[in-house]
Amino acid sequence: MRFFAVGLMMFPFAVSANTLTLDDALRATYSACVGIDDEISHLKTMAGINTAVTAVGAATGVGATATGFIKQRKDVEYAEIEKKLNNLIKEQESNNDETITILTNREEYMAQLRKIAEQYEPANNQQISKDKLQENIEKLDELDKESKNLGNWRTGLLAANTATNIAGAAIAGTNKVDKDLEAQIKSCVFAVSDLRNVMMQARMDGVDITEAQTIADACDDYEMVDVSKINTRATGAMASSIVGAATGVAGTVVSGVANSDKTRNDNTAAGKKQEKDLNTAANVLSIGATAASTTATIFNATQIAAIKKVATVSEKCTGVLK
């Protein structure tokens, strides 16, 4: 009976010890799990910003590509009218028994055409009228200016695309679950596991575990969280943006050279071929930069989806810890 009495005397202290252990487990869980939601929310915010940034990059890339192809059509139309006018010059040369050297500088060539138009008199009914000749020269001048403007727009849009890709790469490169956050999530999982173990004993000891049960139920889903998907998509977005930035830089430079006065004014056969090749290259690079921006946007959007899965857990856990 003496031992039984001693046991009864010690029982309150046993309950007190278990209650203290439960409190310690609750504090450990709070310390391990609180703050994760803030980090996840920041990742989600930055992923959203990066999605918008790369989407703008994709849009400017599409604009640059469309502008480049419109310019290409203008250049084809220019070449057709130029060929027609050059044939007329040769015919004029033949009819008047004179030598007319077609100038190889575009600005000088346009001045030459205007001078010829002033002196032009159709030799037979097969030639175009003087008014029609003047109309063709004005059209040629108009196409030249439109082509120049379109080239400038393409260069500007490619530069904007490049800037967004550089920004996108920078954001994606840092918008990852770092080692500290990953370690904190693991610590939270371990803390919740320890809490559940203590809860079993506390329940047997008759301690109220309602609060602990609520916290454990809300936070134990961290065990199912896969943060690697967040980082994988961030890496994909960064790589795509880097490719887009490099392609965009190249496209901007090539487009600028193609549309420079030096390149455009070279009206020789070699000069025309070089201009055409540069414009084609600029359009191809524009397509590449656009594709990279689009891919980065997709990676960012899917990263948001991956982050939201973790955020669902972190919001629920943090909600009961507060």
Side-chain angles (χ1 to χ4, degrees):
M1 291 294 292
R2 181 188 301 174
F3 291 108
F4 179 72
V6 171
L8 287 175
M9 291 174 64
M10 293 181 64
F11 180 74
F13 294 101
V15 172
S16 176
N18 283 330
T19 302
L20 182 62
T21 302
L22 181 61
D23 287 342
D24 287 342
L26 285 169
R27 280 193 291 270
T29 302
Y30 178 85
S31 297
C33 299
V34 76
I36 294 176
D37 187 51
D38 290 339
E39 295 293 330
I40 296 299
S41 294
H42 177 70
L43 289 175
K44 184 167 65 173
T45 299
M46 295 308 294
I49 292 171
N50 208 16
T51 301
V53 168
T54 52
V56 170
T60 56
V62 168
T65 303
T67 301
F69 282 111
I70 293 171
K71 171 180 163 55
Q72 188 177 57
R73 289 198 295 271
K74 297 289 184 182
D75 289 342
V76 169
E77 189 178 355
Y78 179 96
E80 291 172 351
I81 296 176
E82 182 185 39
K83 182 179 179 181
K84 185 191 301 183
L85 291 174
N86 286 346
N87 288 336
L88 182 64
I89 291 173
K90 292 177 182 177
E91 189 174 347
Q92 186 81 353
E93 178 183 47
S94 176
N95 291 338
N96 297 335
D97 293 326
E98 60 178 324
T99 301
I100 303 176
T101 301
I102 298 175
L103 299 178
T104 57
N105 178 282
R106 185 173 295 194
E107 291 181 353
E108 294 175 353
Y109 171 71
M110 292 303 298
Q112 181 184 35
L113 287 176
R114 292 188 183 96
K115 185 176 180 180
I116 290 173
E118 290 175 3
Q119 302 171 351
Y120 177 73
E121 291 295 340
N124 55 58
N125 292 332
Q126 293 180 339
Q127 291 184 312
I128 64 174
S129 66
K130 191 167 186 173
D131 288 343
K132 190 65 175 178
L133 172 59
Q134 188 64 43
E135 182 183 322
N136 275 274
I137 294 172
E138 289 175 0
K139 182 63 176 178
L140 198 67
D141 190 42
E142 178 187 335
L143 288 169
D144 183 47
K145 290 175 181 176
E146 288 178 353
S147 175
K148 176 74 173 178
N149 288 335
L150 287 165
N152 287 336
W153 294 341
R154 179 184 60 192
T155 303
L157 288 167
L158 276 169
N161 172 270
T162 301
T164 57
N165 274 314
I166 292 172
I171 295 172
T174 56
N175 200 45
K176 296 180 180 180
V177 175
D178 58 22
K179 296 296 182 182
D180 291 340
L181 180 56
E182 191 172 355
Q184 187 178 1
I185 291 173
K186 289 180 180 178
S187 294
C188 180
V189 171
F190 292 143
V192 172
S193 178
D194 290 342
L195 177 62
R196 285 198 178 280
N197 291 333
V198 173
M199 285 165 54
M200 292 174 61
Q201 183 61 47
R203 185 186 293 110
M204 293 173 60
D205 294 339
V207 178
D208 183 7
I209 62 168
T210 303
E211 180 185 4
Q213 186 71 57
T214 301
I215 291 173
D217 289 345
C219 297
D220 63 359
D221 284 345
Y222 273 122
E223 191 171 359
M224 307 302 293
V225 162
D226 183 8
V227 296
S228 65
K229 292 181 179 180
I230 297 175
N231 291 353
T232 298
R233 285 158 176 75
T235 300
M238 181 179 69
S240 297
S241 291
I242 289 172
V243 170
T247 308
V249 167
T252 302
V253 172
V254 172
S255 181
V257 173
N259 208 47
S260 67
D261 290 338
K262 181 180 178 181
T263 301
R264 292 178 60 82
N265 284 336
D266 187 351
N267 227 29
T268 63
K272 290 176 182 178
K273 184 179 184 305
Q274 181 187 36
E275 182 185 1
K276 182 179 179 181
D277 290 346
L278 286 169
N279 279 311
T280 300
N283 288 344
V284 171
L285 289 167
S286 179
I287 293 171
T290 303
S293 294
T294 302
T295 303
T297 304
I298 293 170
F299 272 117
N300 286 322
T302 55
Q303 187 192 34
I304 292 175
I307 292 171
K308 281 183 176 179
K309 290 181 180 179
V310 182
T312 300
V313 178
S314 67
E315 288 170 4
K316 182 172 66 172
C317 180
T318 300
V320 299
L321 289 174
K322 290 182 177 178

